[in-house]
Amino acid sequence: MSAIKPEYEAVYEAQNSFRYLAHGADSSLVRWHYHNEYELHLIQTTHGNAFIGDYVGPFTPGSVFLCGPYLPHNWVSLGDFQTGIRDRVINFSDERIQALIQVLPEMKSLQTMLADSRYGIEFSKEASARVVDEFASVAGLKGPARVLSFLNIMSELAQTQDYWPLSSRSFEEESDSLMEGRVNTVVSYIIHNCTRELSLEEVAGVLGLAPTFFSRWFKKATGYRYIDFLTRLRISRACEHLEVTDRPITDICFDAGFANVANFNRHFLKIKGMTPRQYRESIEIRGRTMQKVVLHR
């Protein structure tokens, strides 16, 4: 595995402090790859081999790993493939963690663990067992509760110091800058043009690639189909306007790049779990609640 060049994966999360995802053993994300972000990884089902840097070793249900930025990694199941969720993954950036440490000095307790993760670390079964339930619950949380749950997991793991290093070396200086540059170029183009009609052919042309080849390449690099990435980005833009303006939802729909309101509502409900109107109402309720807290201090 280590003789094969790892692929770069772009981790993009506009609306949240970190990316949470869950997938099966047959996901396209299961491959030898790296990214700029940390990865906290829980194996829920199956057993097999973990490939992290130049380390190869077994994993079993309940195994928890933390891989630092640029460190190549993959988990390959053996034998008993199961349907449903195999992996639960949290990706977070070093920039946001360092910014958090600046305003919350208590978070400095994470620094030793994060530094060790540049070589990849695996936590003991005892330490892993303490966070398995909360790790799984992150998927159903929103807002501050989601962030607090993530910090609880990180704090619990850091306090135990019950882990061991895996790779014999760090890979921070060995990233594929050309691949990263191509991904960043096309993602930046999509971000700056997402509110207008933006065809697959046009975006593929930015890199001089055929649409069919670009579509496969983009899915492998980002974990999303092009149209799904574009839709999520437009929903994120709509959420920003719903939060900070009182403009009509119909206007926000078209300004975000959607062609009709029905399509906008359907995608919004699928991604956010509520309608645009319910989302705006939840923001208003949160604002009134916070105002009451301030007034009663």
Side-chain angles (χ1 to χ4, degrees):
M1 179 69 71
S2 59
I4 302 172
K5 189 174 184 179
E7 298 176 352
Y8 174 68
E9 178 182 298
V11 175
Y12 178 76
E13 191 72 23
Q15 281 288 304
N16 298 300
S17 302
F18 58 89
R19 180 179 76 166
Y20 171 88
L21 57 90
H23 60 76
D26 58 348
S27 170
S28 61
L29 295 174
V30 179
R31 68 190 196 282
W32 183 233
H33 71 286
Y34 74 97
H35 34 67
N36 300 350
E37 294 75 19
Y38 294 94
E39 177 164 310
L40 185 62
H41 199 112
L42 164 66
I43 299 292
Q44 181 161 311
T45 61
T46 80
H47 71 280
N49 286 323
F51 298 83
I52 299 173
D54 59 13
Y55 165 84
V56 181
F59 68 77
T60 57
S63 296
V64 174
F65 301 84
L66 180 61
C67 296
Y70 304 104
L71 182 66
H73 52 272
N74 192 19
W75 286 263
V76 179
S77 291
L78 301 174
D80 58 341
F81 278 48
Q82 299 179 22
T83 57
I85 295 173
R86 183 194 74 166
D87 309 80
R88 295 187 185 275
V89 180
I90 294 176
N91 295 117
F92 56 97
S93 71
D94 189 61
E95 290 78 10
R96 283 183 171 166
I97 286 291
Q98 295 307 320
L100 183 63
I101 290 173
Q102 288 297 314
V103 296
L104 298 174
E106 293 83 356
M107 300 308 295
K108 288 181 180 178
S109 62
L110 300 180
Q111 287 185 318
T112 298
M113 181 179 72
L114 293 175
D116 291 340
S117 75
R118 306 283 172 151
Y119 298 86
I121 54 179
E122 181 178 2
F123 296 90
S124 70
K125 289 298 181 184
E126 293 75 18
S128 299
R130 295 173 189 165
V131 301
V132 166
D133 290 342
E134 186 147 25
F135 206 125
S137 73
V138 172
L141 299 175
K142 293 182 174 63
R146 189 171 184 267
V147 176
L148 289 174
S149 183
F150 164 64
L151 293 178
N152 283 337
I153 294 169
M154 294 294 290
S155 177
E156 182 67 40
L157 292 173
Q159 287 178 19
T160 67
Q161 298 184 356
D162 194 2
Y163 59 79
W164 51 89
L166 302 175
S167 178
S168 65
R169 61 192 178 95
S170 170
F171 286 69
E172 290 182 83
E173 303 303 323
E174 301 179 28
S175 62
D176 186 343
S177 58
L178 176 60
M179 178 64 168
E180 290 181 39
R182 288 163 69 86
V183 172
N184 290 336
T185 294
V186 75
V187 167
S188 178
Y189 187 85
I190 297 170
I191 290 173
H192 285 93
N193 294 278
C194 68
T195 56
R196 63 174 179 81
E197 184 177 347
L198 194 60
S199 68
L200 174 65
E201 290 74 15
E202 177 183 343
V203 177
V206 172
L207 297 180
L209 300 176
T212 302
F213 179 84
F214 171 82
S215 184
R216 293 195 300 269
W217 173 85
F218 189 83
K219 175 70 184 311
K220 185 176 288 187
T222 66
Y224 293 104
R225 294 188 308 151
Y226 165 68
I227 189 61
D228 293 336
F229 183 87
L230 179 61
T231 298
R232 285 179 173 274
L233 187 57
R234 287 171 171 169
I235 293 297
S236 293
R237 291 293 178 89
C239 287
E240 292 174 7
H241 288 289
L242 288 167
E243 290 180 17
V244 301
T245 76
D246 57 0
R247 298 176 60 221
I249 291 175
T250 301
D251 291 351
I252 291 175
C253 159
F254 294 124
D255 287 350
F258 289 92
N260 62 76
V261 176
N263 193 37
F264 171 60
N265 287 334
R266 179 169 60 85
H267 285 298
F268 199 101
L269 180 62
K270 180 180 179 181
I271 292 172
K272 305 303 292 185
M274 63 183 77
T275 66
R277 188 173 304 281
Q278 289 170 332
Y279 184 85
R280 172 172 272 173
E281 290 172 351
S282 71
I283 297 298
E284 291 173 350
I285 292 171
R286 186 177 69 187
R288 289 196 296 269
T289 301
M290 292 300 295
Q291 186 177 34
K292 289 180 181 178
V293 171
V294 172
L295 290 173
H296 282 83
R297 283 182 175 175

